[in-house]
């Protein structure tokens, strides 16, 4: 490894560490503030809601983002196919969640979960595209831009929006909407930083490389 690549690697590790620490501190700090405003039951409902999206994210974004990071000679067709299939899978997942959310709400005996899950799962469209754009920056080892992306999203999205809505008696929906805005900010900033040249055209020949 030459000196340039060595310095780049060290810089990437440092920025990734700074990003992790700053996210932890900010998220904890905002969580403490919101905990003083919202009821404990709001966090319980939010916790049940994010379980659904967590499972979907694991299933939908894992192999695609890994493909982006590991693919040698990544080209526009690779990116376009990844974006296209991500949006398609997200749409199918959202339709599935729309129909099962009343069943989940009934299981936990919380009717409000139907609306919470349906609204919160909108973020899967943002997350699926963001995971690809994030993969592009990781591939370039540009963790400095990832730090700025996550910082803007947490401060301008989750923190400010969440606190304002909580103070205005939105209850658990303040957590839902704040997370949606955070993911939207993440998507916008990642796009501005990575500038991939958006295309959603799926090339069938590329799919086997993504999922196999």
């Amino acid at each position: 490894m030459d000196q340039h690549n060595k310095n780049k690697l060290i810089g990437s590790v440092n920025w990734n560490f700074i990003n992790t620490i700053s996210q932890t501190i900010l998220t904890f700090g905002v969580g403490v503030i919101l905990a003083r405003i919202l009821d404990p039951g709001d966090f319980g409902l939010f916790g049940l809601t994010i379980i659904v999206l967590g499972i979907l994210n694991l299933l939908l974004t894992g192999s695609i983002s890994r493909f982006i990071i590991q693919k040698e000679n990544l080209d526009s067709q690779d990116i376009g196919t990844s974006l296209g299939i991500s949006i398609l899978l997200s749409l199918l997942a959202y339709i599935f969640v729309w129909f099962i959310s009343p069943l989940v709400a009934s299981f936990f005996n919380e009717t409000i979960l139907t609306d919470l899950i349906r609204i919160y799962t909108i973020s899967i469209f943002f997350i699926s595209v963001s995971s690809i754009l994030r993969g592009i920056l990781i591939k370039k080892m540009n963790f400095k831009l990832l730090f700025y992306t996550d910082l803007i999203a947490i401060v301008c999205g989750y923190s400010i929006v969440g606190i304002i809505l909580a103070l205005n008696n939105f209850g658990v929906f303040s957590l839902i909407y704040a997370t949606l805005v955070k993911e939207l900010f993440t998507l916008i900033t990642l796009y501005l930083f990575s500038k991939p040249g958006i295309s959603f055209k799926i090339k069938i020949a590329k799919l086997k490389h993504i999922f196999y």
Side-chain angles (χ1 to χ4, degrees):
M1 181 182 294
D2 57 34
Q3 189 62 38
H4 173 73
N5 288 331
K6 184 178 180 180
N7 291 337
K8 189 175 182 179
L9 177 61
I10 294 173
S12 297
V13 172
N14 290 336
W15 278 109
N16 189 44
F17 176 75
I18 294 172
N19 191 16
T20 301
I21 295 298
S22 62
Q23 281 194 68
T24 301
I25 294 173
L26 284 171
T27 303
F28 176 77
V30 175
V32 171
I33 295 173
L34 291 175
R36 297 179 64 87
I37 303 173
L38 301 174
D39 295 328
D42 293 328
F43 286 94
L45 288 170
F46 183 66
L48 293 175
T49 303
I50 64 176
I51 290 174
V52 176
L53 188 64
I55 295 173
L56 289 177
N57 284 338
L58 183 63
L59 294 175
L60 295 181
T61 63
S63 61
I64 299 176
S65 59
R66 184 168 57 250
F67 164 77
I68 292 293
I69 296 171
Q70 297 178 352
K71 176 70 162 58
E72 295 183 6
N73 302 317
L74 188 72
D75 57 32
S76 59
Q77 290 187 354
D78 293 319
I79 297 173
T81 299
S82 298
L83 289 170
I85 197 63
S86 291
I87 292 296
L88 178 59
L89 291 175
S90 296
L91 178 59
L92 294 175
Y94 187 80
I95 293 172
F96 174 72
V97 168
W98 180 274
F99 286 106
I100 70 163
S101 55
L103 300 177
V104 176
S106 177
F107 178 80
F108 288 104
N109 197 27
E110 293 283 358
T111 55
I112 195 175
L113 275 176
T114 299
D115 291 334
L116 293 178
I117 293 173
R118 286 175 174 175
I119 295 173
Y120 189 71
T121 308
I122 293 173
S123 65
I124 197 172
F125 293 99
F126 305 147
I127 294 172
S128 63
V129 175
S130 294
S131 67
I132 295 169
L133 303 181
R134 184 179 294 274
I136 293 173
L137 291 180
I138 291 175
K139 187 177 184 68
K140 296 177 180 179
M141 298 181 68
N142 202 333
F143 289 91
K144 182 178 180 179
L145 290 183
L146 287 175
F147 164 73
Y148 289 128
T149 292
D150 293 332
L151 181 64
I152 291 170
I154 292 177
V155 173
C156 298
Y158 187 75
S159 302
I160 295 177
V161 173
I163 293 172
I164 290 175
L165 292 180
L167 289 171
N168 283 275
N169 301 315
F170 275 75
V172 64
F173 284 96
S174 61
L175 299 171
I176 298 294
Y177 292 137
T179 305
L180 280 175
V181 175
K182 171 183 172 293
E183 297 302 343
L184 179 59
F185 266 96
T186 299
L187 174 59
I188 293 172
T189 51
L190 280 173
Y191 174 74
L192 293 176
F193 287 151
S194 61
K195 299 177 181 178
I198 292 294
S199 169
F200 297 95
K201 189 174 182 180
I202 299 175
K203 293 289 185 179
I204 302 300
K206 297 287 186 178
L207 291 178
K208 65 179 181 179
H209 298 295
I210 295 177
F211 296 107
Y212 296 100

